[in-house]
């Protein structure tokens, strides 16, 4: 029934589909069927998705809920992904309701979430990890008494069908574990859940110091339960000291993140990229001899026999937990694999047989389920973000995540919301009410959280998606961050990104930010305007204009005075720039009309002060020219108009009063001004007189002064205006509303009418009645409405006629207007027109303004429209009150003003205000200065610790913000004197636990300081620290490395266990500091540092050796200290000459002690444990020990040249004499390391073998230890070298070792073998009984293992990328079969994933480690490996020349090498020098004429041609072009170069383009330009065009090179442009071409070969035909050369017939057609074929050819 229900869900009838769905849901709800049953049915998932494709779609929510339920199961999630649910639901989501979209999102969450198996012992943890409700926070603590027992029953595991294909996801390659490793992880996991805090603390320390050093970091993601427990420990409440559990867990997670980054780099390194599947197979030809394993043990098993930890040879021991303290028998029983089970006693188990290994996965553990449940980097990073904020160390792990937001959007949104809340909290805690220490703390936390938030957004969320995904709280936090000016100054790039996200997520908030930015800019401009007076005038005026815009925010009124004074100054001189005057006037008018009353009041007040200063009575005794120029800025109609129109009528008394006073001073300032100034004032005042006359009156001083404008002037120059102007003014006053004013106007008018003597006789007699009526002549009760429309057009026309007449009358004489006025007094309407014309004339001069003020002041008998209720210069202020109401905005503007006012933050910081505290934190240099001073004056441990934490945060935030070195905190600290502050604590031995804790902080800071932003500027700090370490007599810090020193000190002080832990932490930090210091000294270029590095390395080496030999038996090693000691030893021994600076011990003795100790470690941790152990435990010790041995081998070669040190490398030297294996071990300990599970160990151990094989005794020892291995040493190394899946670095070291072995003298035959000591290699054929030794055996080995086939395959698959894969996927996938040498790293990334994450289409497990599909995969081949292969080939050429050269030629290896050389470029100078050396060597060899020398010379020359580093795309051409003048002077070298170019350009279009100059050579600007040629091809054409000399080698090679070049279109184009082919037409034709052998025949043959090569291209065919006479010449040559083979001229004619553009030209040549026709009757089949092909080409697709051929045929017949 269930099956029927499954198929019915796809029925065409909706009723049946609904019934089937309800049936399935009912059975599922009632337990009749389960999820594991349903998730196996692929058809069900397809039908449920197809449900939405029917026309009628009921029960959508129920279908999606069922899909969501099934997707919670791992198999169901995989099945959904497999049938395409992701793409289907993505397209479906936008078309359904929002409630259904939520369900779809939950399905996505299940599909992309890697499920974690529930921890059975702690139910609350399972609920926390699997719950989707973010509100669940009541997690049960670790130390509750009511906590469920750890021995609770384990719930049943979820079963996974192994026939289902696995979901693809980007994870690390799966690593299988032995029972020992699983027991170790399980034991530590259970310890993390212990109720004992001490046990949890020690477990964290063990994880950090040992487990995470031994196990690859990805194992903790593949089995994430330890990480889950560490994350839960972050929420445990504990005492706030260094031993708190959250800090311990945090340190472990930080170590894990560092290791993950390292492993990520390891997997991205092409040199270590391998297709080799883990685990390493033991079924190889290498078996461990009895001597390697030690003496035969009895069959009786003891706890010691079962120990997973090997001890030194002959010293079995047991350690059960793997921490060097107690025991942890690694049980292979099923109990050891039970999750959460407490560790029990080790059961007795049989001893594993030698050569066999324990199973990697137990039968009770489902490997496929584990792999499905593993975490990827994205999931790990997300879990960290969900648990803790803000810990920025996980950021770089997040950088490796791809599409994390899409798969975990909701959880990340919750993270972002939390981050926004944290930022808001820390921001709110920086108020003035908080103490200074609290403000600093919260400010630093705010900065770190803000940087982390923005970097997280940059990593995961594209800016354009911000509006859809950012929560509101985060947007608010970003808004406040964008307003944080101190933050923007310290971290500009982070601030810029925050603003970009704000712009996309909230337009309103971004608009506020923009307004605040403009306001802040205006305020900064104000301060710059006031403070920086040395700028040019245009910049000052621009700043003044911006300052005026900022007045609403800062209202700093002194800026107004400065503006007025600048305007006054710029208008003083008549030679001043008109541009400056106009710009300053705009600013002045802007101030006069400013909407803010305080601004306007201040402007008028400052203007009045300037006027008083210039025109006041105090200047009576001064020359007028020296003072009055200061008011010239007012002498403009616009200014006077603004003052008279809007200043006088302003409602504010301060404004209108000041405006009146200004005008009074100006109108009465005649005596204080020069004549020119007064005239200038009159000219500016004249257009404004109509406006001013509206204020005429007799009640105030200004009115009386204005009234006098129309009066009689005693002097011609004293009046404000001319007589005509005064007349107009008098007429204008007749319209005044005040009767007294009109009466005065009549008086002035009559005076003007009667003042002329010539008018006295014609003056009419006016009675008193007429005179008394004149003041009210134009006072009417009805106004005329004047509008410029069609109805009044005639009147307006008449009005302008009157205006014209009046202006003419004025220009003729004064008597005419007087008479006219008398006449118009009888006709008032005409006089009205005249006065109106005057008014409008004035108004027209002021931009056609009709003023409301005039309507208000004048009693006009007409009504007209009015404008400009406010000043036209008044600016509209943007809203600003809302900004000032926001506290964040006020703070931002306040900071901007104060910073600009105090010349930057440095001066502002000196102020004792609350803002200065925040600035001292944000300003990195000041903050660091405070820290240094605080350290120097500190009086307690807590003070120094707090300051160091602050300094540490400065460095970490720089690292997080990706600050450049020049602006980093480190760079700023280096500018301060901070060394003495630290020396205070580094020169004194710590006397108490508090001292040790403080020293831990100091050393940790120094370590971070040296690691970050490494540059040459660190040399002073490196010198200081090294001198501090080695020049102290007490050597305080160096001696603290010795753990016995710490122990004795602890016992003396009676310290507790926590105190001992501080000592361990101190050793951990010290070793980390010394390792960083040694690494920096290795790469420094400072000479003093390099000189001091030797003594430091020697001092460290002596103490590290003491750390290595602390106990009598290795089983008492403390693993944490041993791991640290070996890591430091690896760094120490990496420095050359590290053993040569110890005064008490000679280098050889020190190296001997090191070798003894390291071999003891190797024997303890590797040899006795079966050699190639699969367990990871102890791998850190092994790897570091091997690295130390590698460095030691090079040191001993350099420092022990005269001593027999090779024998010291035998492992059995220190054993008892009665042990039979003592003398037989030798180097047998080294061989198992060559096939270790870790590729780094394999590489380093092979490098050790390479170093030892540089000596003959080393080769003999290596050969001896491989006698019991099938095939011996040679077969072992060849197997390693030719293993396809092995990584490139291991291949490379194997090639180097083989190269050293080839140096040994090998016998060439059986006779030589009798007397030769070196009997290697040796090959024995059991079938024939034949044995070969020496070179024959080597040749047989190479042939048998297909060595050259593998080499050719490597050359074909070289990968030159920097990374094996990219961290972000490419836009498109590469096609199958793409050559990896031509693909980018992105495509290589997917190729790598295909190797690591298998996708089986069959029912087999998709994650099988031995699937046949992967067996054919090959590892990455790097250029470094190929370099080693070439060196090996060079040695093979020396020992087996004929055999090797034949193989190289047959396998096309030389061509492949040249192809790769065309890809990889070297320095030009090296190339040229190499060429000189090769040529010199050839010249020297030529002086010794012998067959062997000639053979060597030929071989060397071939090698030079094929392997020359200069044979590259562009650099060869560029180098030879620079050498061309020198080459022209020396023919032998020119011949060699031409031969080289012939080889270089053969069938290589890229090379041809480079020689002809088409390639870009702009990158070689250092090369000299050659004047005679533009490219190499030009020079070659010059050589070919010359008359061939007696020695025609250069001429011949030139033509050969041109023939090669002609395959390139660019080269053919250059031949045509240079007219080089014209020389062919002038080539002398010998009489007997076919039989001649002279130079003329050779030259002609070279030309024909060149033309033949050119004719292979269509453009070349056209070029030949276009040569006038070329076709006829070729026909003649072809006729005379028909007997030659090949007939070159005929072939050229044949080729040009194939070009459509040439057919008409060929057919027009009867000789050509006749020649081709005659070829058909030739006796040679080749000639007949050529002729027929040419005629066929002419016939094809050419209509005109038929008639031509027919006519020619008829002619032939006739």
């Amino acid at each position: 029934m269930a099956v029927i229900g499954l198929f019915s869900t796809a029925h065409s009838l909706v009723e049946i589909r609904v019934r089937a769905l309800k049936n399935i849901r009912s059975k599922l709800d009632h337990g009749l069927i389960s999820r594991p049953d349903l998730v196996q049915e692929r058809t069900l998932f397809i039908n449920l998705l197809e449900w939405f494709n029917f026309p009628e779609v009921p029960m959508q929510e129920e279908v999606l809920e069922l899909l969501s339920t099934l997707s919670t199961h791992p198999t169901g999630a995989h099945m959904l992904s497999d049938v395409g649910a992701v793409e289907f639901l993505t397209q479906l989501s936008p078309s359904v309701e929002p409630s259904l979209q939520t369900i779809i999102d939950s399905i996505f969450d299940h599909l992309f979430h890697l499920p974690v198996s529930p921890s059975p012992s702690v139910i609350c943890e399972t609920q926390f990890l699997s719950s989707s409700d973010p509100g669940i926070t009541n997690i049960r603590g670790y130390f509750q008494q009511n906590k469920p027992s750890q021995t609770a029953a384990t719930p049943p595991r979820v079963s996974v069908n192994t026939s289902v294909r696995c979901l693809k996801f980007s994870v690390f390659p799966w690593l299988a574990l032995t029972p020992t490793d699983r027991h170790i992880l399980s034991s530590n996991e259970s310890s993390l859940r212990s109720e004992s805090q001490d046990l949890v603390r020690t477990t964290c320390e063990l994880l950090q110091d040992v487990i995470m050093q031994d196990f690859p970091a990805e194992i903790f993601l593949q089995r994430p339960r330890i990480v889950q427990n560490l994350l839960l420990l972050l929420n445990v409440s504990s005492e706030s000291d260094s031993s708190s559990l959250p800090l311990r867990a945090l340190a472990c997670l930080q170590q894990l993140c560092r290791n993950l980054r390292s492993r990520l780099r390891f997997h991205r390194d092409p040199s270590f990229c391998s297709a080799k599947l883990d685990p390493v197979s033991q079924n190889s030809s290498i078996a461990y001899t009895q001597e390697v394993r030690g003496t035969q043990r009895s069959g009786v098993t003891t706890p010691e026999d079962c120990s997973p930890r090997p001890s030194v040879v002959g010293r079995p021991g047991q350690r059960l937990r793997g921490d060097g303290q107690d025991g942890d028998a690694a049980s292979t029983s099923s109990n050891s694999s039970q999750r959460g089970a407490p560790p029990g006693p080790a059961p007795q188990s049989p001893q594993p047989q030698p050569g066999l290994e324990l199973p990697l996965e137990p039968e009770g553990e489902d490997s496929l389920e584990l792999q499905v449940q593993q975490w990827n980097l994205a999931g790990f990073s997300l879990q960290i973000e969900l648990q803790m904020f803000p810990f920025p160390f996980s950021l770089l792990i997040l950088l490796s995540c791809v599409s994390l937001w899409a798969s975990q959007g909701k959880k990340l949104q919750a993270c972002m919301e939390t981050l926004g809340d944290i930022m808001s909290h820390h921001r709110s805690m920086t108020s003035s009410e908080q103490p200074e220490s609290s403000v600093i703390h919260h400010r630093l936390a705010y900065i770190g959280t803000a940087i982390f938030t923005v970097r997280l957004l940059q990593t995961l969320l594209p800016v354009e998606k911000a509006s859809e995904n950012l929560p509101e709280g985060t947007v608010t936090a970003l808004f406040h961050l964008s307003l944080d000016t101190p933050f923007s100054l310290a971290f500009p790039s982070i601030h810029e990104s925050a603003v970009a996200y704000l712009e996309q997520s909230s337009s309103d908030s971004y608009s506020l930010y923009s307004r605040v930015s403009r306001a802040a800019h205006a305020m900064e401009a104000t301060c710059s305007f006031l403070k920086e007076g040395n700028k040019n005038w245009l910049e000052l005026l621009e700043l003044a204009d911006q300052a005026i815009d900022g007045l609403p925010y800062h209202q700093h009124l002194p800026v107004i005075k400065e503006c007025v004074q600048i305007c006054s100054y710029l208008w003083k001189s008549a030679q001043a720039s008109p541009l400056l005057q106009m710009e300053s006037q705009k600013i002045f008018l802007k101030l006069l009309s400013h909407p803010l009353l305080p601004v306007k009041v201040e402007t008028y007040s400052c203007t009045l002060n300037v006027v008083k200063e210039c025109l006041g009575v105090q200047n009576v005794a001064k020359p007028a020219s020296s003072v009055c120029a200061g008011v010239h800025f007012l002498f403009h109609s616009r200014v006077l108009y603004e003052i008279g129109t809007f200043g006088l009528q302003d409602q504010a008394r301060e404004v209108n009063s000041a405006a009146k006073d200004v005008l009074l001073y100006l109108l009465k300032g005649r005596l204080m001004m020069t004549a020119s100034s007064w005239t200038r004032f009159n000219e500016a005042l004249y257009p404004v007189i109509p406006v001013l006359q509206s204020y005429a009156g007799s009640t105030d001083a200004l009115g009386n002064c204005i009234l006098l404008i129309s009066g009689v002037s005693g002097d011609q120059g004293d009046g404000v205006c001319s007589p005509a102007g005064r007349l107009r003014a008098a007429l204008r006053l007749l319209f005044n509303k005040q009767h007294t004013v009109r009466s005065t106007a009549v008086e002035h008018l009559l005076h003007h009418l009667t003042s002329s003597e010539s008018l006295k006789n014609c003056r009419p007699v006016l009675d008193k009645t007429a005179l008394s009526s004149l003041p009210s002549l134009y006072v009417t009760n009805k106004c005329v409405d004047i509008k410029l429309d069609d109805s009044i057009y005639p009147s307006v026309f008449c009005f302008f006629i009157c205006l014209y007449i009046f202006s003419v009358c004025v220009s003729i004489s004064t008597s005419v207007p007087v008479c006219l006025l008398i006449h118009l007094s009888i006709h008032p309407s005409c006089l009205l027109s005249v006065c109106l014309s005057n008014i409008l004339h004035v108004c027209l001069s002021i931009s056609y303004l009709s003023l409301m003020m005039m309507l208000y002041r004048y009693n006009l008998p007409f009504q007209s429209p009015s404008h400009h209720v406010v000043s036209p210069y008044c600016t509209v202020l943007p809203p600003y009150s809302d900004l000032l109401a926001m506290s964040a905005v006020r703070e931002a503007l306040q900071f901007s003003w104060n910073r600009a006012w105090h010349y930057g933050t440095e001066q502002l910081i000196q102020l004792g205000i609350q803002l200065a505290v925040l600035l001292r934190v944000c300003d990195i240099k000041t903050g660091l200065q405070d820290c240094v001073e605080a350290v120097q004056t500190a009086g307690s441990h807590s003070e120094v610790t707090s300051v160091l934490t602050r300094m540490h945060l400065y460095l970490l935030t720089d690292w997080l913000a990706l600050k450049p070195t020049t602006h980093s905190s480190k760079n700023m600290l280096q500018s301060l004197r901070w060394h003495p502050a630290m020396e205070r604590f580094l020169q004194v031995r710590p006397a108490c636990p508090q001292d040790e804790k403080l020293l831990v902080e100091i050393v940790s800071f120094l370590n971070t300081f040296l690691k970050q932003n490494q540059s040459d500027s660190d040399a002073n700090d490196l010198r200081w620290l090294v001198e501090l370490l080695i020049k102290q007599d007490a050597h305080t810090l160096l001696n603290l490395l010795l753990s016995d020193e710490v122990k004795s000190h602890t016992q003396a002080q009676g310290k507790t266990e926590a105190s001992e832990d501080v000592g361990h932490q101190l050793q951990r930090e010290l070793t980390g500091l010394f390792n960083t210091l040694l690494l920096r000294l290795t790469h420094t270029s400072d000479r003093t540092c390099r000189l001091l590095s030797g003594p430091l390395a020697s001092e460290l080496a002596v103490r590290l050796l003491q750390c290595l030999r602390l106990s009598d038996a290795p089983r008492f090693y403390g693993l944490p200290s041993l791991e640290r000691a070996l890591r430091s030893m690896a760094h120490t021994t990496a420095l050359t000459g590290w053993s040569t600076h110890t005064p008490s011990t000679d280098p050889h003795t020190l190296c001997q002690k090191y070798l003894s100790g390291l071999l003891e470690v190797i024997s303890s941790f590797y040899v006795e444990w079966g050699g190639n152990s699969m367990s990871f435990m102890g791998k850190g010790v092994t790897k570091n020990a091997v690295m130390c041995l590698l460095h030691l081998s090079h040191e001993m070669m350099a420092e022990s040249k005269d001593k027999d040190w090779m024998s010291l490398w035998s492992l059995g030297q220190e054993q008892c004499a009665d042990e039979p294996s003592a003398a037989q071990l030798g180097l047998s300990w080294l061989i198992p390391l060559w096939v270790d599970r870790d590729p780094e160990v394999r590489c380093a151990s092979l490098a050790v073998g390479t170093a030892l094989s540089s000596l003959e005794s080393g080769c003999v020892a290596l050969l001896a230890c491989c006698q019991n291995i099938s095939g011996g040493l040679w077969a072992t190394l060849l197997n390693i070298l030719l293993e396809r899946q092995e990584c490139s670095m291991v291949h490379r070291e194997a090639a180097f070792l083989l190269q050293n072995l080839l140096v040994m003298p090998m016998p060439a035959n059986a006779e030589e073998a009798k007397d030769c000591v070196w009997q290697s290699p040796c090959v024995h054929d059991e079938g024939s009984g034949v044995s070969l030794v020496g070179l024959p055996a080597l040749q047989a080995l190479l042939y048998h293992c297909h060595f050259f086939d593998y080499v050719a395959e490597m050359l074909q698959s070289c990968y030159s990328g920097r990374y094996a894969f990219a961290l972000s996927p490419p836009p498109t996938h590469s096609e199958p079969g793409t050559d990896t040498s031509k693909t980018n790293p992105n495509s290589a990334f997917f190729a790598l994933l295909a190797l690591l994450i298998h996708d089986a289409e069959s029912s087999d497990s998709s994650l099988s480690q031995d699937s046949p599909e992967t067996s054919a995969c090959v590892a990455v081949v790097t250029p470094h490996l190929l370099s080693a292969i070439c060196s090996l080939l060079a040695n093979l050429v020396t020992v087996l020349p004929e055999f090797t050269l034949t193989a190289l030629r047959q396998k096309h290896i030389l061509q492949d090498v040249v192809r790769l050389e065309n890809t990889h470029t070297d320095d030009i100078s090296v190339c040229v020098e190499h060429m000189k050396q090769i040529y010199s060597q050839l010249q020297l060899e030529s002086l010794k004429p012998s067959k062997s020398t000639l053979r060597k010379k030929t071989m060397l020359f071939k090698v030079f041609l094929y392997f020359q580093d200069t044979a590259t795309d562009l650099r060869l051409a560029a180098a030879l072009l620079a050498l061309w003048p020198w080459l022209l002077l020396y023919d032998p070298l020119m011949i060699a170069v031409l031969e080289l170019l012939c080889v270089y350009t053969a069938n290589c279009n890229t090379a041809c383009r480079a020689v002809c100059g088409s390639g870009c050579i702009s990158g070689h600007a250092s090369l000299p330009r050659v004047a005679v040629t533009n490219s190499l091809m030009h020079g070659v054409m010059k050589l070919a065009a010359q008359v061939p000399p007696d020695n025609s080698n250069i001429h011949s090679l030139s033509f050969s090179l041109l023939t090669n070049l002609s395959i390139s279109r660019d080269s053919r184009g250059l031949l045509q442009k240079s007219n080089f082919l014209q020389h062919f037409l002038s080539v002398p034709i010998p009489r007997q071409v076919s039989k001649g052998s002279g130079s003329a025949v050779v030259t002609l043959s070279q030309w024909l070969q060149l033309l033949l090569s050119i004719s292979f291209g269509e453009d070349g065919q056209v070029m030949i035909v276009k040569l006038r006479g070329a076709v006829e010449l070729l026909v003649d040559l072809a006729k005379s050369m028909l007997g030659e083979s090949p007939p070159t001229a005929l072939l050229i004619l044949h080729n040009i017939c194939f070009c459509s553009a040439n057919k008409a030209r060929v057919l027009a040549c009867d000789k050509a057609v006749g020649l081709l026709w005659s070829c058909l009757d030739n006796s040679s089949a080749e000639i007949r074929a050529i002729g027929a092909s040419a005629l066929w080409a002419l016939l094809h697709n050419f209509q005109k050819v038929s008639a031509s051929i027919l006519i020619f045929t008829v002619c032939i017949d006739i």
Side-chain angles (χ1 to χ4, degrees), residues 875-890:
T875 57
V876 179
L877 295 179
Y880 59 92
S881 58
D882 58 334
L883 295 182
L884 297 178
M886 301 174 63
S887 59
V889 174
R890 290 198 308 271

Side-chain angles (χ1 to χ4, degrees), residues 369-441:
E369 179 186 358
L370 287 174
Q371 295 181 48
V372 172
Q373 294 176 352
Q374 66 178 313
W375 286 2
N376 57 7
L377 287 174
F380 168 70
S381 303
L382 181 61
Q383 292 297 331
I384 287 181
E385 302 309 321
L386 290 174
Q387 291 292 330
M388 55 186 177
F389 297 101
F391 292 105
F393 63 82
S394 64
L395 180 70
L396 288 188
I397 300 300
L398 286 174
L399 295 178
S400 64
C401 304
V402 180
S403 303
L404 181 58
W405 196 281
S407 60
Q408 305 288 353
K410 290 185 177 180
K411 295 181 180 179
L412 286 173
Q413 284 181 343
C415 293
M416 286 297 151
E417 185 73 31
T418 305
L419 284 171
D421 295 341
I422 293 175
M423 290 175 62
S424 300
H425 166 72
H426 288 298
R427 179 181 173 275
S428 64
M429 297 302 292
T430 56
S431 61
S432 58
E433 292 80 10
Q434 301 293 331
E436 181 175 337
S437 59
S438 177
V439 171
I440 294 176
H441 164 75

Side-chain angles (χ1 to χ4, degrees), residues 405-518:
W405 196 281
S407 60
Q408 305 288 353
K410 290 185 177 180
K411 295 181 180 179
L412 286 173
Q413 284 181 343
C415 293
M416 286 297 151
E417 185 73 31
T418 305
L419 284 171
D421 295 341
I422 293 175
M423 290 175 62
S424 300
H425 166 72
H426 288 298
R427 179 181 173 275
S428 64
M429 297 302 292
T430 56
S431 61
S432 58
E433 292 80 10
Q434 301 293 331
E436 181 175 337
S437 59
S438 177
V439 171
I440 294 176
H441 164 75
H442 287 288
R443 184 60 178 174
L444 288 173
Y446 176 78
I447 293 174
T449 310
I451 297 175
F452 177 77
T453 303
V454 176
R455 292 285 290 118
L456 185 62
L457 287 175
Q458 290 176 334
T459 304
L460 302 178
L461 185 63
V463 176
E464 58 272 11
K465 299 291 184 181
S467 60
E468 305 170 5
N469 296 279
L470 278 186
E472 183 179 355
T474 308
V475 175
T476 303
L478 289 177
F479 171 67
H480 288 144
L481 181 63
S482 64
L483 296 179
D484 197 328
T485 309
F487 181 88
S488 68
L489 296 174
F491 305 96
S493 61
I494 298 296
H495 180 265
E496 182 179 355
S497 297
V499 173
Y501 279 100
L502 180 66
E503 181 180 9
Q504 294 294 328
S505 57
S506 175
S507 57
D508 294 338
S509 298
Y510 180 75
S511 176
L512 286 176
Y513 163 76
S514 300
R515 292 169 55 193
V516 174
S517 298
R518 290 192 293 269

Side-chain angles (χ1 to χ4, degrees), residues 1659-1677:
D1659 58 336
Q1661 297 164 7
V1662 176
M1663 289 164 52
I1664 295 174
V1665 174
K1666 285 185 177 181
L1667 291 174
R1668 181 171 298 180
V1671 175
E1672 291 78 4
L1673 179 59
L1674 288 172
V1675 171
D1676 295 337
L1677 291 173

Side-chain angles (χ1 to χ4, degrees), residues 1418-1498:
V1418 295
V1420 174
V1421 179
T1422 63
H1424 298 289
L1425 171 59
L1426 294 184
S1427 175
I1429 293 294
C1430 290
S1431 300
L1432 178 60
L1433 290 175
N1435 281 18
L1436 284 174
V1437 169
T1438 303
V1439 297
L1440 294 173
E1442 297 297 333
F1443 173 75
T1444 304
L1445 288 176
T1446 302
L1448 294 179
R1449 182 169 54 253
Q1450 291 178 350
K1451 303 303 180 182
H1452 306 288
I1453 292 177
L1454 295 180
Q1455 291 87 335
D1456 293 336
V1457 171
V1458 173
R1459 177 181 60 82
L1460 291 174
E1461 287 297 325
N1462 289 337
T1463 305
H1464 307 97
T1465 59
D1466 293 326
D1467 188 34
I1468 296 179
S1469 59
V1470 177
C1471 299
V1472 174
E1473 188 62 28
H1474 194 187
M1475 289 175 58
K1476 294 179 181 179
Q1477 294 175 4
I1478 290 291
Y1479 180 73
S1480 300
Q1481 187 173 356
L1482 290 175
Q1483 289 294 100
L1484 292 176
E1485 292 289 342
S1486 66
L1487 298 178
K1488 303 176 182 178
S1490 63
K1491 292 185 178 180
S1492 60
T1493 302
L1494 182 60
R1495 183 170 62 251
K1496 290 181 180 179
K1497 174 182 177 180
T1498 305

Side-chain angles (χ1 to χ4, degrees), residues 652-710:
R653 186 184 61 82
E654 298 91 339
V655 175
N656 59 52
S657 177
K660 291 179 181 178
D661 293 342
V662 168
L663 291 175
L664 273 174
Y665 269 95
L666 293 178
L667 292 173
K668 294 182 177 182
R670 171 65 184 90
L671 298 179
M672 304 301 298
M673 300 183 191
T674 62
S676 59
S677 298
W678 180 251
T679 302
R680 189 173 177 180
F681 170 65
N682 289 336
E683 292 173 354
L685 183 65
Y686 180 75
V688 194
I689 288 178
V691 178
L692 292 179
Q693 282 190 295
S694 63
Y695 295 94
S698 58
T699 59
D700 60 338
L702 179 61
N704 287 323
C705 191
I706 295 174
L707 195 60
L708 295 176
I709 292 177
S710 58

Side-chain angles (χ1 to χ4, degrees), residues 7 33 333 338 661 669 688 815-816 953 972 981 1214 1259 1268 1337 1527:
F7 287 101
I33 56 177
S333 65
Q338 294 179 356
D661 293 342
V688 194
S815 60
V816 176
L953 283 175
M972 296 181 182
E1214 294 185 358
C1259 294
N1268 295 329
L1527 299 176

